[in-house]
Amino acid sequence: MASDSCARVRFAPSPTGKLHIGGARTAIYNWAFARSMGGTFILRIDDTDPTRSTDENTRVILRAMRWLGLDWDEGPDVGGVCGPYRQTECLPLYREAAERLVAEGKAYYCFCSAEKLSQDHDAAVARKDPFQGYQRTCRALDPCDARARVDAGEPCTIRIKVPLDRGDVVVHDAVHGDVAFNAKELDDFIIFRSDGTPTYNFATVVDDARMGITHVIRGDDHLSNTPRQIMVYEALGAPAPTFAHISMILGADGKKLSKRHGATSVEEYRDQGFLSDAFVNYLALLGWSLDGETTIIPRAVLASRFSLEHVSKNPAIMDPEKLSWVQQQYVLAMDDTTFVTDILKPALAAAGLDDGSMHDDAWYALLAAILKPRTTMPHDAADKACFLYEGVEVALDEKSVAKNIAKEGVRSWLEAARDALAAVADDTWKADAINAALEPLPEVLGTGKRRFFGAVRVALCGNQVSPPLGESMELLGKDIVLARLERTLPLAG
Ligand code: GLU
């Protein structure tokens, strides 16, 4: 943890869709790395693919990043010393860099047509040439002739000159170790298309170099691009950063995560009611661990203790049950007031039960106290609270009635409960007093506690699973409790 660190990292999404779990995890690692190093976290929008990038996607990605709580120090909306932070605003920079490489003899214009390239490829295949990439036809052109053809308007691409004697290109990856690629296998690949747009491998390196990026942390689907990017660094005369390629996230079936596995975009999880802190905690653990065992890692700990050494190179498996468990831990750790404002009231409102003003603060606080331990997702709270909002005619679950109420003798129990509760003074209508009033009845009536309270519970809550009975009755209020007991008498045996 060096506060004077000059670590500079970037998250560079392409706005071709929403922010997905994999991208979010990459963003979290970059953010946590920057924070733990006292460095700078940059957000850059890689929108050079004009057919698939949209401003709307950019807006949605930024919104998802904010929900995740991953604040960036430089980026398209906050600015910074290395702007622009949108690649479409940098086209002249890429053009200039490519032209400079051409002028220095490190890149060249290529006039090969698509047909020519495909004929060359077929010929290489036919003669069983181990190298079937671009045959470097235009590398031999006289630069002045090439320039004249460009000036005359002939369509061309710009290709990088991979030095023929380069030998292996070794990626010193912080996660995968050294990975060697044979430079002979690398094409003189295109850095500028004939339509005047830069390719990903070129634009990324021009930006990473000019932004002083020290560590590139990204998905390992980009590992095979890295030797080409190293070639660009070398041509530009810029130092290559440290690379850290993180594993893919897979579904439980071992296949790449997709819609088939459930929600994939960050905002779908937000909309389901996941807490941002819990979600970030869970995603951080998909491929990284603090010490091999700690599972609850608050954001502040992540921001101070993250390190690339503990990033695994094995694919991570998305486990919705574990995510729910982490969420539950964060809900349990919430104080009741936060639970009321952030989970309970929004859930009641979303379920159309309560706009948040139907009761006083003490009522919501009591409800929070009994529901918090029973809530993972906000809808759990609404589901468990809805019996409180059904007036006298609470929906009665038929099976529960058959099992607990429509039995010989139950009518007398419900009458006894009604009478004992009627005797509780209005101003002492609290869970303790309510429990104290009912407690002696099973013995007096000569029945078991479980059966007695089971019948009362179904009469009051409609089914056999409800939050604690005393508190539930306090919340229902005396009048409703008495009326619900009265209403079930005709059903009792
Ligand atoms: N825009 C690229 C992507 O979204 C960035 C890859 C990189 O980090 O270099 O995959």
Side-chain angles (χ1 to χ4, degrees):
M1 255 197 299
S3 59
D4 59 345
S5 152
C6 40
R8 289 175 63 83
V9 294
R10 78 328 186 250
F11 174 55
S14 300
T16 53
K18 298 177 173 153
L19 183 59
H20 284 188
I21 292 177
R25 199 244 341 225
T26 301
I28 292 168
Y29 285 9
N30 276 285
W31 173 85
F33 181 78
R35 295 293 168 257
S36 69
M37 299 290 288
T40 303
F41 176 50
I42 298 166
L43 179 65
R44 186 176 77 219
I45 300 297
D46 281 5
D47 55 355
T48 41
D49 180 347
T51 52
R52 293 168 63 227
S53 301
T54 67
D55 287 345
E56 172 62 9
N57 285 335
T58 300
R59 224 171 45 75
V60 171
I61 290 171
L62 262 59
R63 190 173 64 199
M65 289 286 288
R66 285 194 200 95
W67 179 73
L68 289 168
L70 305 177
D71 54 319
W72 50 98
D73 308 303
E74 298 174 24
D77 52 344
V78 298
V81 289
C82 292
Y85 295 93
R86 277 177 204 267
Q87 289 195 322
T88 41
E89 292 169 20
C90 303
L91 293 176
L93 294 179
Y94 308 132
R95 166 64 68 184
E96 201 183 298
E99 298 284 0
R100 181 163 68 80
L101 293 187
V102 173
E104 290 172 357
K106 294 172 179 163
Y108 58 92
Y109 296 111
C110 169
F111 304 93
C112 294
S113 64
E115 298 82 70
K116 158 94 176 114
L117 294 175
S118 126
Q119 281 162 10
D120 284 357
H121 175 78
D122 293 349
V125 172
R127 67 173 182 271
K128 299 203 171 60
D129 190 331
F131 178 71
Q132 297 175 358
Y134 177 62
Q135 299 296 316
R136 305 185 175 101
T137 317
C138 294
R139 188 169 167 138
L141 293 178
D142 173 74
C144 295
D145 293 348
R147 182 75 245 171
R149 288 168 73 177
V150 173
D151 292 345
E154 192 173 337
C156 66
T157 58
I158 300 177
R159 290 182 181 271
I160 196 139
K161 242 184 219 175
V162 174
L164 297 173
D165 55 355
R166 175 61 177 74
D168 279 357
V169 182
V170 181
V171 179
H172 304 290
D173 194 88
V175 175
H176 291 263
D178 284 358
V179 187
F181 296 83
N182 184 346
K184 281 209 183 80
E185 299 294 313
L186 300 179
D187 262 339
D188 277 358
F189 55 92
I190 295 175
I191 58 173
F192 241 84
R193 301 186 189 90
S194 53
D195 66 1
T197 59
T199 55
Y200 157 70
N201 280 326
F202 187 63
T204 290
V205 173
V206 170
D207 281 335
D208 287 345
R210 75 183 177 82
M211 291 179 176
I213 299 300
T214 56
H215 297 74
V216 167
I217 305 169
R218 62 184 170 202
D220 65 11
D221 50 336
H222 284 294
L223 183 56
S224 60
N225 285 320
T226 307
R228 290 193 169 83
Q229 293 185 13
I230 289 175
M231 295 289 68
V232 178
Y233 280 105
E234 290 182 4
L236 291 172
T242 297
F243 291 98
H245 286 93
I246 56 183
S247 63
M248 293 286 98
I249 301 178
L250 307 177
D253 55 2
K255 303 228 168 79
K256 196 166 176 271
L257 205 62
S258 74
K259 272 270 161 243
R260 281 181 299 115
H261 299 99
T264 49
S265 83
V266 168
E267 291 195 337
E268 281 174 271
Y269 286 88
R270 178 201 64 186
D271 295 344
Q272 285 174 17
F274 280 97
L275 297 164
S276 153
D277 285 349
F279 192 63
V280 167
N281 183 151
Y282 175 73
L283 286 189
L285 290 174
L286 279 181
W288 170 78
S289 83
L290 182 62
D291 52 16
E293 53 188 15
T294 310
T295 45
I296 298 304
I297 302 173
R299 200 181 279 276
V301 175
L302 181 62
S304 61
R305 305 275 305 276
F306 181 85
S307 76
L308 290 172
E309 286 91 77
H310 290 130
V311 173
S312 163
K313 63 176 166 204
N314 301 322
I317 309 279
M318 174 77 192
D319 177 354
E321 272 177 35
K322 175 109 186 271
L323 170 61
S324 291
W325 182 84
V326 172
Q327 160 93 353
Q328 202 181 18
Q329 306 314 304
Y330 275 82
V331 172
L332 276 176
M334 262 183 178
D335 61 66
D336 286 359
T337 317
T338 313
F339 182 80
V340 170
T341 52
D342 289 8
I343 294 196
L344 183 60
K345 283 193 174 177
L348 294 175
L353 294 171
D354 183 341
D355 64 2
S357 66
M358 287 172 69
H359 298 278
D360 60 18
D361 289 350
W363 191 92
Y364 293 111
L366 176 59
L367 182 58
I370 59 172
L371 288 189
K372 202 176 67 174
R374 295 169 172 77
T375 298
T376 300
M377 303 306 288
H379 70 79
D380 297 331
D383 292 349
K384 294 200 164 76
C386 70
F387 77 97
L388 297 169
Y389 290 91
E390 294 179 29
V392 177
E393 302 286 317
V394 62
L396 295 170
D397 170 56
E398 262 179 48
K399 277 197 188 133
S400 302
V401 170
K403 193 163 161 228
N404 296 272
I405 294 195
K407 291 264 168 72
E408 188 69 32
V410 172
R411 187 183 173 105
S412 65
W413 305 350
L414 296 180
E415 285 169 345
R418 178 198 61 195
D419 296 345
L421 291 168
V424 176
D426 290 1
D427 58 355
T428 57
W429 186 259
K430 295 271 177 243
D432 285 351
I434 292 165
N435 287 332
L438 295 183
E439 201 57 34
L441 293 185
E443 203 180 321
V444 173
L445 297 163
T447 182
K449 275 192 181 177
R450 225 162 53 87
R451 297 177 62 206
F452 172 79
F453 283 107
V456 174
R457 184 183 297 277
V458 173
L460 293 177
C461 310
N463 62 51
Q464 301 165 82
V465 274
S466 72
L469 205 47
E471 283 80 357
S472 296
M473 285 194 247
E474 180 179 337
L475 291 165
L476 281 167
K478 188 171 168 182
D479 291 347
I480 293 282
V481 165
L482 296 181
R484 284 189 184 181
L485 286 168
E486 197 70 47
R487 168 222 182 194
T488 30
L489 289 179
L491 307 174

PDB file of all heavy atoms in Angstrom, residues 10-16 26 30 44-47 87 200 204 208 216-219 221-222 225 229 245, ligand 1:
ATOM      1  N   ARG A  10      -7.143   1.189 -15.690  1.00  0.00           N
ATOM      2  CA  ARG A  10      -8.363   1.651 -16.364  1.00  0.00           C
ATOM      3  C   ARG A  10      -9.324   0.497 -16.552  1.00  0.00           C
ATOM      4  O   ARG A  10      -8.940  -0.665 -16.683  1.00  0.00           O
ATOM      5  CB  ARG A  10      -8.024   2.334 -17.685  1.00  0.00           C
ATOM      6  CG  ARG A  10      -7.684   1.528 -18.938  1.00  0.00           C
ATOM      7  CD  ARG A  10      -7.018   0.254 -18.828  1.00  0.00           C
ATOM      8  NE  ARG A  10      -6.624  -0.342 -20.087  1.00  0.00           N
ATOM      9  CZ  ARG A  10      -7.185  -1.439 -20.619  1.00  0.00           C
ATOM     10  NH1 ARG A  10      -8.148  -2.070 -20.007  1.00  0.00           N
ATOM     11  NH2 ARG A  10      -6.726  -1.912 -21.764  1.00  0.00           N
ATOM     12  N   PHE A  11     -10.602   0.837 -16.540  1.00  0.00           N
ATOM     13  CA  PHE A  11     -11.635  -0.095 -16.964  1.00  0.00           C
ATOM     14  C   PHE A  11     -12.151   0.499 -18.259  1.00  0.00           C
ATOM     15  O   PHE A  11     -12.482   1.685 -18.315  1.00  0.00           O
ATOM     16  CB  PHE A  11     -12.727  -0.199 -15.902  1.00  0.00           C
ATOM     17  CG  PHE A  11     -13.896  -1.036 -16.344  1.00  0.00           C
ATOM     18  CD1 PHE A  11     -13.715  -2.337 -16.786  1.00  0.00           C
ATOM     19  CD2 PHE A  11     -15.189  -0.518 -16.317  1.00  0.00           C
ATOM     20  CE1 PHE A  11     -14.794  -3.105 -17.211  1.00  0.00           C
ATOM     21  CE2 PHE A  11     -16.274  -1.283 -16.725  1.00  0.00           C
ATOM     22  CZ  PHE A  11     -16.078  -2.578 -17.172  1.00  0.00           C
ATOM     23  N   ALA A  12     -12.168  -0.330 -19.320  1.00  0.00           N
ATOM     24  CA  ALA A  12     -12.439   0.222 -20.657  1.00  0.00           C
ATOM     25  C   ALA A  12     -13.562  -0.533 -21.351  1.00  0.00           C
ATOM     26  O   ALA A  12     -13.338  -1.263 -22.319  1.00  0.00           O
ATOM     27  CB  ALA A  12     -11.158   0.156 -21.482  1.00  0.00           C
ATOM     28  N   PRO A  13     -14.786  -0.381 -20.863  1.00  0.00           N
ATOM     29  CA  PRO A  13     -15.878  -1.140 -21.495  1.00  0.00           C
ATOM     30  C   PRO A  13     -16.197  -0.638 -22.898  1.00  0.00           C
ATOM     31  O   PRO A  13     -16.037   0.549 -23.184  1.00  0.00           O
ATOM     32  CB  PRO A  13     -17.063  -0.882 -20.557  1.00  0.00           C
ATOM     33  CG  PRO A  13     -16.769   0.436 -19.922  1.00  0.00           C
ATOM     34  CD  PRO A  13     -15.270   0.498 -19.791  1.00  0.00           C
ATOM     35  N   SER A  14     -16.634  -1.554 -23.739  1.00  0.00           N
ATOM     36  CA  SER A  14     -17.168  -1.166 -25.046  1.00  0.00           C
ATOM     37  C   SER A  14     -18.672  -1.021 -24.855  1.00  0.00           C
ATOM     38  O   SER A  14     -19.314  -1.960 -24.380  1.00  0.00           O
ATOM     39  CB  SER A  14     -16.904  -2.263 -26.077  1.00  0.00           C
ATOM     40  OG  SER A  14     -15.523  -2.472 -26.185  1.00  0.00           O
ATOM     41  N   PRO A  15     -19.240   0.110 -25.211  1.00  0.00           N
ATOM     42  CA  PRO A  15     -20.678   0.297 -24.954  1.00  0.00           C
ATOM     43  C   PRO A  15     -21.546  -0.388 -26.001  1.00  0.00           C
ATOM     44  O   PRO A  15     -22.357   0.244 -26.672  1.00  0.00           O
ATOM     45  CB  PRO A  15     -20.830   1.818 -24.973  1.00  0.00           C
ATOM     46  CG  PRO A  15     -19.748   2.277 -25.887  1.00  0.00           C
ATOM     47  CD  PRO A  15     -18.614   1.295 -25.791  1.00  0.00           C
ATOM     48  N   THR A  16     -21.355  -1.688 -26.118  1.00  0.00           N
ATOM     49  CA  THR A  16     -22.132  -2.452 -27.089  1.00  0.00           C
ATOM     50  C   THR A  16     -23.276  -3.188 -26.401  1.00  0.00           C
ATOM     51  O   THR A  16     -23.987  -3.960 -27.021  1.00  0.00           O
ATOM     52  CB  THR A  16     -21.233  -3.479 -27.805  1.00  0.00           C
ATOM     53  OG1 THR A  16     -20.569  -4.252 -26.798  1.00  0.00           O
ATOM     54  CG2 THR A  16     -20.193  -2.805 -28.663  1.00  0.00           C
ATOM     55  N   THR A  26     -14.287  -7.204 -13.537  1.00  0.00           N
ATOM     56  CA  THR A  26     -13.054  -6.565 -14.019  1.00  0.00           C
ATOM     57  C   THR A  26     -12.958  -5.140 -13.456  1.00  0.00           C
ATOM     58  O   THR A  26     -11.889  -4.701 -13.021  1.00  0.00           O
ATOM     59  CB  THR A  26     -13.060  -6.511 -15.565  1.00  0.00           C
ATOM     60  OG1 THR A  26     -13.173  -7.834 -16.061  1.00  0.00           O
ATOM     61  CG2 THR A  26     -11.808  -5.863 -16.105  1.00  0.00           C
ATOM     62  N   ASN A  30     -10.028  -3.597 -10.952  1.00  0.00           N
ATOM     63  CA  ASN A  30      -9.251  -2.405 -11.287  1.00  0.00           C
ATOM     64  C   ASN A  30      -9.409  -1.336 -10.205  1.00  0.00           C
ATOM     65  O   ASN A  30      -8.436  -0.716  -9.775  1.00  0.00           O
ATOM     66  CB  ASN A  30      -9.691  -1.852 -12.646  1.00  0.00           C
ATOM     67  CG  ASN A  30      -9.001  -2.559 -13.810  1.00  0.00           C
ATOM     68  OD1 ASN A  30      -7.819  -2.317 -14.070  1.00  0.00           O
ATOM     69  ND2 ASN A  30      -9.702  -3.444 -14.487  1.00  0.00           N
ATOM     70  N   ARG A  44     -12.653   4.477 -19.164  1.00  0.00           N
ATOM     71  CA  ARG A  44     -12.529   4.886 -20.572  1.00  0.00           C
ATOM     72  C   ARG A  44     -13.602   4.158 -21.378  1.00  0.00           C
ATOM     73  O   ARG A  44     -13.862   2.985 -21.139  1.00  0.00           O
ATOM     74  CB  ARG A  44     -11.151   4.501 -21.093  1.00  0.00           C
ATOM     75  CG  ARG A  44     -10.898   5.019 -22.510  1.00  0.00           C
ATOM     76  CD  ARG A  44      -9.501   4.707 -22.969  1.00  0.00           C
ATOM     77  NE  ARG A  44      -9.351   3.325 -23.358  1.00  0.00           N
ATOM     78  CZ  ARG A  44      -8.265   2.588 -23.098  1.00  0.00           C
ATOM     79  NH1 ARG A  44      -7.259   3.086 -22.440  1.00  0.00           N
ATOM     80  NH2 ARG A  44      -8.201   1.333 -23.506  1.00  0.00           N
ATOM     81  N   ILE A  45     -14.196   4.855 -22.293  1.00  0.00           N
ATOM     82  CA  ILE A  45     -15.242   4.230 -23.100  1.00  0.00           C
ATOM     83  C   ILE A  45     -14.660   3.865 -24.460  1.00  0.00           C
ATOM     84  O   ILE A  45     -14.286   4.738 -25.240  1.00  0.00           O
ATOM     85  CB  ILE A  45     -16.465   5.182 -23.240  1.00  0.00           C
ATOM     86  CG1 ILE A  45     -17.045   5.515 -21.850  1.00  0.00           C
ATOM     87  CG2 ILE A  45     -17.519   4.560 -24.132  1.00  0.00           C
ATOM     88  CD1 ILE A  45     -17.593   4.325 -21.074  1.00  0.00           C
ATOM     89  N   ASP A  46     -14.568   2.566 -24.687  1.00  0.00           N
ATOM     90  CA  ASP A  46     -14.006   2.058 -25.953  1.00  0.00           C
ATOM     91  C   ASP A  46     -15.126   1.942 -26.983  1.00  0.00           C
ATOM     92  O   ASP A  46     -15.664   0.856 -27.221  1.00  0.00           O
ATOM     93  CB  ASP A  46     -13.359   0.680 -25.723  1.00  0.00           C
ATOM     94  CG  ASP A  46     -11.970   0.792 -25.097  1.00  0.00           C
ATOM     95  OD1 ASP A  46     -11.554   1.916 -24.763  1.00  0.00           O
ATOM     96  OD2 ASP A  46     -11.308  -0.256 -24.941  1.00  0.00           O
ATOM     97  N   ASP A  47     -15.453   3.075 -27.590  1.00  0.00           N
ATOM     98  CA  ASP A  47     -16.630   3.085 -28.473  1.00  0.00           C
ATOM     99  C   ASP A  47     -16.257   3.187 -29.948  1.00  0.00           C
ATOM    100  O   ASP A  47     -16.970   3.798 -30.735  1.00  0.00           O
ATOM    101  CB  ASP A  47     -17.569   4.245 -28.082  1.00  0.00           C
ATOM    102  CG  ASP A  47     -16.851   5.585 -28.069  1.00  0.00           C
ATOM    103  OD1 ASP A  47     -15.611   5.599 -28.274  1.00  0.00           O
ATOM    104  OD2 ASP A  47     -17.506   6.607 -27.851  1.00  0.00           O
ATOM    105  N   GLN A  87     -13.093   6.860 -26.921  1.00  0.00           N
ATOM    106  CA  GLN A  87     -12.209   6.637 -28.057  1.00  0.00           C
ATOM    107  C   GLN A  87     -12.677   7.348 -29.327  1.00  0.00           C
ATOM    108  O   GLN A  87     -11.847   7.745 -30.135  1.00  0.00           O
ATOM    109  CB  GLN A  87     -12.046   5.128 -28.298  1.00  0.00           C
ATOM    110  CG  GLN A  87     -11.200   4.487 -27.204  1.00  0.00           C
ATOM    111  CD  GLN A  87     -10.711   3.103 -27.555  1.00  0.00           C
ATOM    112  OE1 GLN A  87     -11.437   2.328 -28.177  1.00  0.00           O
ATOM    113  NE2 GLN A  87      -9.515   2.769 -27.135  1.00  0.00           N
ATOM    114  N   TYR A 200      -8.915  -2.434 -32.525  1.00  0.00           N
ATOM    115  CA  TYR A 200      -8.876  -2.495 -31.056  1.00  0.00           C
ATOM    116  C   TYR A 200      -7.445  -2.553 -30.539  1.00  0.00           C
ATOM    117  O   TYR A 200      -7.058  -1.794 -29.638  1.00  0.00           O
ATOM    118  CB  TYR A 200      -9.697  -3.713 -30.576  1.00  0.00           C
ATOM    119  CG  TYR A 200      -9.286  -4.178 -29.214  1.00  0.00           C
ATOM    120  CD1 TYR A 200      -9.570  -3.401 -28.080  1.00  0.00           C
ATOM    121  CD2 TYR A 200      -8.576  -5.366 -29.036  1.00  0.00           C
ATOM    122  CE1 TYR A 200      -9.160  -3.802 -26.818  1.00  0.00           C
ATOM    123  CE2 TYR A 200      -8.170  -5.776 -27.781  1.00  0.00           C
ATOM    124  CZ  TYR A 200      -8.455  -4.996 -26.673  1.00  0.00           C
ATOM    125  OH  TYR A 200      -8.034  -5.386 -25.434  1.00  0.00           O
ATOM    126  N   THR A 204      -6.312   0.703 -28.293  1.00  0.00           N
ATOM    127  CA  THR A 204      -6.113   0.408 -26.868  1.00  0.00           C
ATOM    128  C   THR A 204      -4.705   0.776 -26.430  1.00  0.00           C
ATOM    129  O   THR A 204      -4.512   1.389 -25.378  1.00  0.00           O
ATOM    130  CB  THR A 204      -6.366  -1.101 -26.630  1.00  0.00           C
ATOM    131  OG1 THR A 204      -7.743  -1.317 -26.797  1.00  0.00           O
ATOM    132  CG2 THR A 204      -5.963  -1.535 -25.249  1.00  0.00           C
ATOM    133  N   ASP A 208      -3.691   3.437 -23.784  1.00  0.00           N
ATOM    134  CA  ASP A 208      -3.044   2.994 -22.544  1.00  0.00           C
ATOM    135  C   ASP A 208      -1.685   3.673 -22.388  1.00  0.00           C
ATOM    136  O   ASP A 208      -1.292   4.043 -21.279  1.00  0.00           O
ATOM    137  CB  ASP A 208      -2.889   1.460 -22.534  1.00  0.00           C
ATOM    138  CG  ASP A 208      -4.228   0.752 -22.308  1.00  0.00           C
ATOM    139  OD1 ASP A 208      -5.192   1.418 -21.876  1.00  0.00           O
ATOM    140  OD2 ASP A 208      -4.314  -0.471 -22.556  1.00  0.00           O
ATOM    141  N   VAL A 216      -2.619  -3.388 -16.752  1.00  0.00           N
ATOM    142  CA  VAL A 216      -3.833  -3.677 -17.515  1.00  0.00           C
ATOM    143  C   VAL A 216      -4.460  -4.937 -16.910  1.00  0.00           C
ATOM    144  O   VAL A 216      -3.893  -6.026 -17.002  1.00  0.00           O
ATOM    145  CB  VAL A 216      -3.514  -3.890 -19.011  1.00  0.00           C
ATOM    146  CG1 VAL A 216      -4.707  -4.499 -19.740  1.00  0.00           C
ATOM    147  CG2 VAL A 216      -3.127  -2.560 -19.654  1.00  0.00           C
ATOM    148  N   ILE A 217      -5.590  -4.738 -16.254  1.00  0.00           N
ATOM    149  CA  ILE A 217      -6.290  -5.869 -15.622  1.00  0.00           C
ATOM    150  C   ILE A 217      -7.564  -6.080 -16.431  1.00  0.00           C
ATOM    151  O   ILE A 217      -8.409  -5.185 -16.511  1.00  0.00           O
ATOM    152  CB  ILE A 217      -6.640  -5.539 -14.148  1.00  0.00           C
ATOM    153  CG1 ILE A 217      -5.377  -5.131 -13.382  1.00  0.00           C
ATOM    154  CG2 ILE A 217      -7.334  -6.733 -13.484  1.00  0.00           C
ATOM    155  CD1 ILE A 217      -5.651  -4.535 -12.002  1.00  0.00           C
ATOM    156  N   ARG A 218      -7.675  -7.231 -17.087  1.00  0.00           N
ATOM    157  CA  ARG A 218      -8.840  -7.455 -17.937  1.00  0.00           C
ATOM    158  C   ARG A 218      -9.079  -8.960 -18.087  1.00  0.00           C
ATOM    159  O   ARG A 218      -8.276  -9.779 -17.627  1.00  0.00           O
ATOM    160  CB  ARG A 218      -8.623  -6.817 -19.311  1.00  0.00           C
ATOM    161  CG  ARG A 218      -7.452  -7.406 -20.056  1.00  0.00           C
ATOM    162  CD  ARG A 218      -7.211  -6.690 -21.380  1.00  0.00           C
ATOM    163  NE  ARG A 218      -5.964  -7.107 -21.972  1.00  0.00           N
ATOM    164  CZ  ARG A 218      -5.275  -6.401 -22.861  1.00  0.00           C
ATOM    165  NH1 ARG A 218      -5.735  -5.232 -23.275  1.00  0.00           N
ATOM    166  NH2 ARG A 218      -4.142  -6.851 -23.358  1.00  0.00           N
ATOM    167  N   GLY A 219     -10.160  -9.305 -18.767  1.00  0.00           N
ATOM    168  CA  GLY A 219     -10.535 -10.703 -18.921  1.00  0.00           C
ATOM    169  C   GLY A 219      -9.513 -11.477 -19.736  1.00  0.00           C
ATOM    170  O   GLY A 219      -8.862 -10.919 -20.636  1.00  0.00           O
ATOM    171  N   ASP A 221      -9.927 -13.466 -21.983  1.00  0.00           N
ATOM    172  CA  ASP A 221     -10.256 -13.603 -23.402  1.00  0.00           C
ATOM    173  C   ASP A 221      -9.383 -12.649 -24.228  1.00  0.00           C
ATOM    174  O   ASP A 221      -9.298 -12.786 -25.448  1.00  0.00           O
ATOM    175  CB  ASP A 221     -11.758 -13.335 -23.666  1.00  0.00           C
ATOM    176  CG  ASP A 221     -12.260 -12.053 -23.040  1.00  0.00           C
ATOM    177  OD1 ASP A 221     -11.639 -11.581 -22.051  1.00  0.00           O
ATOM    178  OD2 ASP A 221     -13.262 -11.502 -23.523  1.00  0.00           O
ATOM    179  N   HIS A 222      -8.723 -11.721 -23.564  1.00  0.00           N
ATOM    180  CA  HIS A 222      -7.834 -10.790 -24.279  1.00  0.00           C
ATOM    181  C   HIS A 222      -6.366 -11.212 -24.252  1.00  0.00           C
ATOM    182  O   HIS A 222      -5.531 -10.532 -24.843  1.00  0.00           O
ATOM    183  CB  HIS A 222      -7.959  -9.373 -23.695  1.00  0.00           C
ATOM    184  CG  HIS A 222      -9.220  -8.683 -24.117  1.00  0.00           C
ATOM    185  ND1 HIS A 222      -9.473  -8.335 -25.409  1.00  0.00           N
ATOM    186  CD2 HIS A 222     -10.309  -8.289 -23.407  1.00  0.00           C
ATOM    187  CE1 HIS A 222     -10.652  -7.746 -25.501  1.00  0.00           C
ATOM    188  NE2 HIS A 222     -11.189  -7.715 -24.298  1.00  0.00           N
ATOM    189  N   ASN A 225      -4.654 -11.346 -27.492  1.00  0.00           N
ATOM    190  CA  ASN A 225      -4.407 -10.052 -28.146  1.00  0.00           C
ATOM    191  C   ASN A 225      -3.107  -9.411 -27.654  1.00  0.00           C
ATOM    192  O   ASN A 225      -2.550  -8.525 -28.299  1.00  0.00           O
ATOM    193  CB  ASN A 225      -5.534  -9.060 -27.815  1.00  0.00           C
ATOM    194  CG  ASN A 225      -6.808  -9.367 -28.578  1.00  0.00           C
ATOM    195  OD1 ASN A 225      -6.746  -9.714 -29.750  1.00  0.00           O
ATOM    196  ND2 ASN A 225      -7.946  -9.243 -27.923  1.00  0.00           N
ATOM    197  N   GLN A 229      -0.434  -6.427 -28.912  1.00  0.00           N
ATOM    198  CA  GLN A 229      -0.382  -5.111 -28.260  1.00  0.00           C
ATOM    199  C   GLN A 229       1.048  -4.787 -27.818  1.00  0.00           C
ATOM    200  O   GLN A 229       1.487  -3.646 -27.896  1.00  0.00           O
ATOM    201  CB  GLN A 229      -1.362  -5.074 -27.077  1.00  0.00           C
ATOM    202  CG  GLN A 229      -2.811  -5.161 -27.573  1.00  0.00           C
ATOM    203  CD  GLN A 229      -3.856  -5.015 -26.475  1.00  0.00           C
ATOM    204  OE1 GLN A 229      -3.545  -4.619 -25.365  1.00  0.00           O
ATOM    205  NE2 GLN A 229      -5.093  -5.346 -26.816  1.00  0.00           N
ATOM    206  N   HIS A 245      -4.381 -10.950 -16.551  1.00  0.00           N
ATOM    207  CA  HIS A 245      -5.583 -11.437 -17.236  1.00  0.00           C
ATOM    208  C   HIS A 245      -6.370 -12.340 -16.306  1.00  0.00           C
ATOM    209  O   HIS A 245      -5.864 -13.358 -15.839  1.00  0.00           O
ATOM    210  CB  HIS A 245      -5.185 -12.172 -18.525  1.00  0.00           C
ATOM    211  CG  HIS A 245      -4.740 -11.229 -19.602  1.00  0.00           C
ATOM    212  ND1 HIS A 245      -3.422 -10.891 -19.796  1.00  0.00           N
ATOM    213  CD2 HIS A 245      -5.458 -10.511 -20.503  1.00  0.00           C
ATOM    214  CE1 HIS A 245      -3.338 -10.017 -20.804  1.00  0.00           C
ATOM    215  NE2 HIS A 245      -4.572  -9.765 -21.243  1.00  0.00           N
TER     216      HIS A 245
HETATM  217  N1  GLU B   1     -13.120  -2.594 -24.771  1.00  0.00           N
HETATM  218  C1  GLU B   1     -12.485  -3.845 -24.478  1.00  0.00           C
HETATM  219  C2  GLU B   1     -13.503  -4.812 -23.931  1.00  0.00           C
HETATM  220  O1  GLU B   1     -14.552  -4.361 -23.478  1.00  0.00           O
HETATM  221  C3  GLU B   1     -11.388  -3.578 -23.476  1.00  0.00           C
HETATM  222  C4  GLU B   1     -10.421  -4.641 -23.353  1.00  0.00           C
HETATM  223  C5  GLU B   1      -9.217  -4.139 -22.608  1.00  0.00           C
HETATM  224  O2  GLU B   1      -9.364  -3.936 -21.390  1.00  0.00           O
HETATM  225  O3  GLU B   1      -8.197  -3.915 -23.228  1.00  0.00           O
HETATM  226  O4  GLU B   1     -13.325  -5.994 -23.976  1.00  0.00           O
END
